[in-house]
Amino acid sequence: MAICAGRTVIITGAGGGLGRAYALAFAAEGANVVVNDIRQAAADDVAGEIRAAGGQAIANADDITRLESAQRIVDAALAAFGEVHVLVNNAGILRDRMFLSLSEEDWDLVMQVHLKGHFCLANILARRWRDQAKAGQPVDARIINTSSGAGLQGSVGQSNYSAAKGGVAALTLVQAAELGRYGITANALAPAARTAMTESAMAEVVKKPEDGSFDLWAAENVAPLVVWLGSA
């Protein structure tokens, strides 16, 4: 039996790169998928790809960085599939500058998308799951966050991104400690993959091998771990 049959997952930034790979992999394991991406056309394409393969998916382009619009994402998932069991916080942006060249806008935007973007949906869903647990309903929920090697070790030219991703790692530790009593697990990963973000930062490093050898940077390499973390 597919390991995510009957489960519904919201994936942010799912219109390409890692998020798309996660969405396709979850669908292949039986999950209902909410494909969230600020680019409506990209979200539509991935959701359409899942449905064409026989899976269940809807597309959504609501903003993850405000509670009001994040609530609309959850509401769309509930209307389509009845419940949400898994949240994959994947969406991100880069505004790379040396520290002394960073503007306030560069700092704020990266913090907003990465840190606040990780907060909003998780806060809404965790409150829902807590209330269900307190009401005696069984809860088997998952929060899967995205940190980075930059957040764990630092990265020259990425002080804003590194600080945000370090914050995600710390946030996950607190979520895991606080939410486990309600049947919610929280995990974070620091994936290495070829995406629009990494291609813009280090194109030569992440390029696909031309000799047919193993593609170390393929997003599909990361997806099985994320699906397993999201499973029961």
Side-chain angles (χ1 to χ4, degrees):
M1 183 178 180
I3 65 171
C4 289
R7 291 171 77 75
T8 296
V9 55
I10 295 173
I11 306 172
T12 68
L18 283 166
R20 174 182 175 275
Y22 300 161
L24 296 176
F26 267 106
E29 286 297 336
N32 307 311
V33 183
V34 178
V35 180
N36 168 265
D37 199 290
I38 197 169
R39 304 163 298 165
Q40 181 71 62
D44 288 338
D45 286 347
V46 175
E49 189 174 353
I50 290 171
R51 291 192 295 267
Q56 299 293 320
I58 61 170
N60 177 280
D62 282 306
D63 182 4
I64 65 170
T65 69
R66 295 183 299 117
L67 284 172
E68 178 184 8
S69 47
Q71 182 67 59
R72 291 198 294 268
I73 303 171
V74 175
D75 291 345
L78 296 176
F81 303 121
E83 191 51 81
V84 179
H85 308 88
V86 184
L87 169 64
V88 180
N89 281 314
N90 167 74
I93 61 167
L94 293 175
R95 291 295 184 272
D96 290 353
R97 305 276 192 283
M98 298 300 283
F99 178 72
L100 294 179
S101 299
L102 276 179
S103 68
E104 185 175 9
E105 182 182 9
D106 292 331
W107 182 270
D108 287 347
L109 191 57
V110 168
M111 291 297 165
Q112 182 180 29
V113 173
H114 289 279
L115 269 180
K116 193 176 180 187
H118 270 64
F119 162 76
C120 290
L121 278 167
N123 183 261
I124 291 167
L125 287 168
R127 287 172 183 267
R128 176 181 177 82
W129 293 329
R130 176 202 61 190
D131 292 347
Q132 289 175 339
K134 286 188 172 183
Q137 300 177 36
V139 174
D140 194 19
R142 308 282 181 263
I143 297 171
I144 303 168
N145 294 328
T146 307
S147 185
S148 168
L152 304 178
Q153 299 176 320
S155 177
V156 172
Q158 292 188 311
S159 56
N160 50 358
Y161 178 76
S162 297
K165 287 305 194 184
V168 168
L171 171 65
T172 307
L173 292 173
V174 178
Q175 287 173 329
E178 292 184 356
L179 302 178
R181 72 193 75 178
Y182 304 120
I184 307 164
T185 67
N187 289 274
L189 65 156
R194 183 174 52 257
T195 68
M197 282 176 54
T198 55
E199 285 184 314
S200 71
M202 48 182 188
E204 283 301 306
V205 174
V206 303
K207 68 180 180 180
K208 187 174 183 178
E210 298 177 356
D211 59 2
S213 60
F214 179 69
D215 187 359
L216 179 66
W217 294 91
E220 291 75 15
N221 299 336
V222 183
L225 171 61
V226 178
V227 174
W228 181 82
L229 286 173
S231 72

